[in-house]
Amino acid sequence: MFRRERSVPLRGSAAALCNNLSVLQLPARNLMHFAVVHGPSAQLLSAAPEGVPLAQRQLHAKEGAGVSPPLITQVHWCVLPFRVLLVLTSHRGIQMYESDGSIMVYWHALDSGDTSSVQAVFARGIAASGHFICVGTWTGRVLVFDIPAKGPNIVLSEELAGHQTAVTDIATEPAQGQDSVADMVTADDSGLLCVWRSGSEFTLLTRIPGFGIPCPSVQLWQGIIAAGYGNGQIRLYEATTGTLHVQINAHARAICALDLAPEVGKLLSAAEDTFVHIWKLRRSPESGYIEVEHCHGECVSDIQVCGARFCDPSGSSFAVTGYDLAEILRYSSV
């Protein structure tokens, strides 16, 4: 069971975007950091465990070329082995900051090239893999940035071509030194999933075909891909083979966020039906098949949910954002 805790106030509503919440836990300082997109700006908040807001900062999308302020599409903390960067994507480009948002260390402008004026240009889908940060784009390409241990000498090292439509989300997990292991998955607007092995050069291992429904959010845990779709389904695949193991009719409307608590294998799903569900994933020791157990369901009444994240790796607390809601809702296990 989970109970509602003290909310964290926002200066404005969260934008109606999928995956519109990022959480960074700093146990050493007993702090929780939250990041939420609101139009052309992103709000960063620090809060004590009781939900008391301690600091707020606003970041704005770099203007680039154009007359109107660019809209931000996502904000996400990337935890690398040697540093933490805050990555912000927009219709103009990709901005990388020190973890507290105080200093911008890198800017990558999006090149619309031969894109027609009616096609939207944007970046979306952010994840860290080893010492790389991967960012999806409207073309379906994934940009791979090589991040140094310190300083601003960030380099675009590779562009991955696996998708024909816009990337929606990217998920990674540590490879733990295994060869040929699938440690990154990318999703797109058609529902196609591409499974990759990271390294000095990224290798496409397999494609999992879509079925005409967007996949707004994806997660990866111990070789299991959890994909949330626009029809409310969650599908669990074997990462190395692309085999479908489990299909759950989890929500009545489109899923807008998935998250995983890696220590315990809990999966959080949030959707436009106002429900947040928590599931327990595990592999059967006998058959090796993926098994799922429903643990909790929470109705966030009269709210268009747009972001949800666990607040700790054990899955004992989570936070939710909603459109036209000027606060971050927090829940913790009883």
Side-chain angles (χ1 to χ4, degrees), residues 145-159:
F145 298 94
D146 194 345
I147 312 297
K150 59 181 179 179
N153 296 323
I154 294 168
V155 177
L156 175 61
S157 62
E158 196 174 356
E159 293 190 25

Side-chain angles (χ1 to χ4, degrees), residues 13-15 17 37-42 61 70-73:
S13 158
L17 299 167
V37 174
H38 175 67
S41 66
L71 296 177
I72 297 174
T73 50

Side-chain angles (χ1 to χ4, degrees), residues 114-136:
D114 298 327
T115 301
S116 67
S117 59
V118 296
Q119 186 178 3
V121 174
F122 58 90
R124 179 180 61 192
I126 307 164
S129 179
H131 59 90
F132 298 101
I133 288 178
C134 303
V135 181

